[in-house]
Amino acid sequence: MTKKLVLIDGNSIAYRAFFALPLLNNDKGIHTNAVYGFTMMLMRIVEEEKPSHLLVAFDAGKTTFRHETFKEYKGGRQKTPPELSEQFPFIRELLDAYNIKRYELANYEADDIIGTLSAQAEQEGLDVKVISGDKDLLQLVSDRVTVDITRKGITEVDSYTPAFIDEKYGITPEQIVDMKGLMGDSSDNIPGVPGVGEKTALKLLKEHHTVEQLLESIDQVSGKKLKEKLEEHKELAIMSKKLATIFREAPIEVKVEDVSYEGHDNEKLAALFKELGFNSLLDKLGYEAEEIHEEFEDMNYEIITSVREEMLTTHSALIVELFDENYHHADIIGFGIANETGNYFIPADTALESEVFLSWISDEQMKKVVFNAKKSAVSLKWKGINLKGVYHDVMIASYIINPSDSNDDLATIAKQKGYSQVQSDEAVYGKGAKRKVPEQDILAEHVVRKALAAYHLENQLTDELKANEQYKLFEDLEMPLSLVLGDMEHQGVKIDMNRLNTMGTEIGERLDEIEKNIYRLAGESFNINSPKQLGVVLFETLNLPVIKKTKTGYSTSADVLEQLADKHEIISEILHYRQLGKLQSTYIEGLKKVVYEETNKVHTRFTQTLTQTGRLSSTDPNLQNIPIRLEEGKKIRQAFVPSQQDWVIFAADYSQIELRVLAHIANDEKLIEAFQNDLDIHTKTAMDVFHVEQDEVTSNMRRQAKAVNFGIVYGISDYGLSQSLGITRKEAGKFIERYLESFPGVKEYMDDIIRDAKEKGYVTTLLQRRRYLPEITSRNFNLRSFAERTAMNTPIQGTAADIIKKAMIHMAERLKEEGLQSKLLLQVHDELIFEAPKEEIETLKKLVPEVMEQALELKVPLKVDYSYGDTWFDAK
DNA sequence: CCTAACACGC
DNA sequence: GACGTACGTGTTAGGA
């Protein structure tokens, strides 16, 4: 069989694929459409053409020898979109995985490489197929050379043979350059003869065959105008033909025999497809994601009845398996261990009675990889066991690499990295009412598989962290933070139950009263807590004007009710009822439900791996949203008390941390100066935005400036600002515009960060926390706008989160170093809450602000305010 | 058992 | 100019 050489015009195909396909991205926000299209094309070629030899040629750089002839060659071209540029490294990886040679040569275009190699191949008797999106290549067509030009999409092509060219244009392949010489080529900025298009060029060539012959016999051309043009632009025609002519003797170092194609590397290709998220192509490969790490399938493990010293090594993966979702006081049901000696399941009783195991688990020198270090440590701490030596938490690593992945289930992370043998906890235990511990062998296998996955994932995740320059963030910030958080959760916060009960009774009575009043005003009884029923009463029975609708009916939200306040007496009653009802159900009853009876404490759980910005969240109970704004709600804080007699609650909060971070990141002169002089930032903003002196700033101006600052910090839109200020969207837009004019450094930052995010697909904080924003290149205005605001906001909020996390670690260290009894209890985004013996108050007054303010050095000082008192309420 | 609507904090 | 608009957690109602 005749050998076949396939030559691919790499740049051309990449461009075609990019523009033919929607802008796909993978889970990390990297665009993949061009790579995908390229892959489809390669698959088709390999399948249909069965090439014995294969090469992809690329353009080398901006200038080629053609620029010496005509410096405007390819002038006026649009810059390659960054969304495409970022894909070229993957295309190269793709070709390497396919074991396909790629080649580029300085000063020459891909066309010349293809032309030269096809000439060689023809001589050696090979069949040649050229693949491109560029019809220039048609000049290479011969009896042995076919050129495929992409038609629509990427896999549909027209195959040009000499016969097809004759049929389509009525000329020979050699005459293609003459055609280009006459008609030019706008995409390459080849001029051609003005006034001559395809039709005229073809007509002239049928008669005169070549540009040269034509120019020698211009007098025979019919048409006066045309004659003149040809005469006038002789030089241009000659030059254009030269530009369009592919150079078939380029000094390339590759020979046909160097580019033989032996087939692709299955493993490499599968790994790349996995990385890019080409799951459908994985199937096509005859590969499944699961098979990447198939050594996993026949895992051996042992259920331990008596712990042996030699199975507990200094580098082990450890799974502490709990049944309860809440790990405080949860039952440990077993331990999974994987290391170089084997895989083991140790039932809880066996482990907890084993001296060998207990000393290993508390040995700092025995290094452990875990999944969810805090959960493991806290659950053991409740049993009086100190988990030590944890140096890698797979959950945290995965969160750092990409916070948008669901990191709370090891199975998900494992699967994403190619280990599909791990089952999700939900699949093993069931959910809801059906949740139960399975048979021991099923449990054991599940736990051991998790351990084994963690054992294998460590290296992979570490590599990724290092590649992203996030290892420091992982090792020095989040890992130590998990220990600090675990201690805080375990310590808990004491609740004054009497206070809570008294408040509950009082609020209950007031609710009864308001309820009666509402029924009287409505003229009927109904469930005030039901928005549906309330809507009927307000908008049908009482006929109040409908301001807003939700998708299920009338909106009865607070902002709607406020607008109806002067229309009917019932409105203010309902608002008050809602306010008290919220206090009662969430903060009195809700809190009481989670107080531990023996100690009267609440033990929240901080989720360290959830938010997209790097903030923490808090659950069961959520202690980050205890009321403070309204006086009635704030009183709830009277129930949060120190755990010991003669202790106090000590609270310290950062003043304007986000805006200070903004001043630093944006490097805005005016903002930096304002903070260096410790000005009231909202007043200062009002002065700049409204162009007034300090004593001319009215309280209304300050309020509006404050809302704008709020908007900057939280990344709200003009619509959001208009809502919070009760003004039109247009006016809100003006405010934002004026703000940005007033702070040009901020404006520049906003523009830069969006550009940066579009280019890289993610934004980072000062400490290298990442957030991927795949939608920033979306054609959907909403999605794109949202991503843009996120790009502006995340570095600000995320850096603030970085700072307080660092402060927490330092704080814990200092308290220990100084031998203080004071305990860190809570973190509420920009504040830290402690409990402290009275004797230590004076020490804390100095120590806490010092540590917090020095957590990270910025171009502006960080400022911390503090207060203390007998309850959280009094620490104001 | 899930979703929608609402409200609390930063 | 439309589009539907910070992130979390928890409660209640109401329909599958």
Side-chain angles (χ1 to χ4, degrees), chain A residues 167-270:
Chain A
E167 183 190 325
K168 191 159 176 178
Y169 300 115
I171 58 176
T172 66
E174 293 77 25
Q175 286 176 296
I176 294 284
V177 289
D178 297 285
M179 179 167 97
K180 293 265 170 182
L182 293 173
M183 65 181 273
D185 183 336
S186 59
S187 71
D188 286 347
N189 205 30
I190 295 177
V193 176
V196 176
E198 187 179 306
K199 289 272 144 50
T200 316
L202 291 174
K203 198 185 82 196
L204 291 169
L205 288 176
K206 239 169 240 169
E207 227 162 295
H208 304 277
H209 309 292
T210 70
V211 169
E212 290 77 10
Q213 287 178 33
L214 167 67
L215 296 179
E216 271 169 31
S217 44
I218 288 180
D219 45 331
Q220 293 169 27
V221 173
S222 58
K224 188 165 162 236
K225 264 267 168 64
L226 183 57
K227 224 180 265 184
E228 274 171 30
K229 288 273 185 201
L230 286 169
E231 192 67 53
E232 191 184 340
H233 298 292
K234 265 187 176 174
E235 303 291 315
L236 219 45
I238 300 280
M239 182 191 79
S240 295
K241 176 174 173 180
K242 193 173 158 195
L243 286 174
T245 304
I246 290 172
F247 189 57
R248 306 197 68 171
E249 287 167 5
I252 58 172
E253 296 117 7
V254 282
K255 296 197 164 54
V256 174
E257 59 261 36
D258 301 332
V259 303
S260 65
Y261 174 68
E262 317 282 357
H264 63 258
D265 180 329
N266 244 342
E267 209 165 303
K268 265 197 202 168
L269 201 54

Side-chain angles (χ1 to χ4, degrees), chain A residues 4-9 13 37-56 95 98 100 128-132 146-150 154-157 159 261:
Chain A
K4 183 181 243 177
L5 168 67
V6 170
L7 295 164
I8 297 167
D9 184 346
I13 295 298
F38 212 107
T39 310
M40 298 293 286
M41 188 272 311
L42 281 181
M43 284 185 158
R44 179 187 68 86
I45 303 241
V46 169
E47 171 87 3
E48 289 177 13
E49 307 291 342
K50 303 196 179 4
S52 59
H53 295 73
L54 187 47
L55 175 101
V56 178
L95 295 173
Y98 256 99
I100 294 172
V128 179
K129 166 124 320 176
V130 175
I131 319 281
S132 178
T146 314
V147 175
D148 281 6
I149 301 292
T150 52
I154 191 70
T155 48
E156 262 183 68
V157 292
S159 269
Y261 174 68

Side-chain angles (χ1 to χ4, degrees), chain A residues 413-514:
Chain A
I413 300 174
K415 194 157 205 162
Q416 207 186 336
K417 308 287 176 197
Y419 300 95
S420 71
Q421 299 298 316
V422 189
Q423 285 196 277
S424 70
D425 288 336
E426 194 178 293
V428 174
Y429 294 109
K431 60 174 175 175
K434 293 193 202 113
R435 206 176 130 83
K436 64 171 203 308
V437 181
E439 303 283 309
Q440 194 190 51
D441 50 344
I442 293 175
L443 174 69
E445 174 162 349
H446 175 57
V447 175
V448 172
R449 283 205 185 276
K450 289 206 281 190
L452 190 55
Y455 189 68
H456 279 82
L457 284 169
E458 184 214 336
N459 282 332
Q460 221 168 314
L461 293 167
T462 298
D463 287 349
E464 283 189 59
L465 288 168
K466 287 184 173 161
N468 292 352
E469 293 183 334
Q470 292 180 302
Y471 197 72
K472 206 166 139 48
L473 173 68
F474 170 75
E475 189 180 33
D476 296 345
L477 195 86
E478 298 292 354
M479 286 304 298
L481 180 70
S482 72
L483 299 179
V484 175
L485 291 171
D487 288 344
M488 291 162 66
E489 296 173 0
H490 182 255
Q491 175 65 29
V493 186
K494 179 94 166 182
I495 298 298
D496 179 347
M497 285 304 278
N498 289 332
R499 187 87 206 86
L500 221 48
N501 285 324
T502 312
M503 289 172 71
T505 314
E506 195 217 335
I507 290 175
E509 284 166 7
R510 289 170 64 192
L511 278 171
D512 285 346
E513 220 171 287
I514 298 170

Side-chain angles (χ1 to χ4, degrees), chain A residues 120-136:
Chain A
Q120 286 177 13
E122 268 185 288
Q123 272 181 7
E124 292 172 26
L126 277 77
D127 283 336
V128 179
K129 166 124 320 176
V130 175
I131 319 281
S132 178
D134 187 348
K135 287 187 179 158
D136 267 3

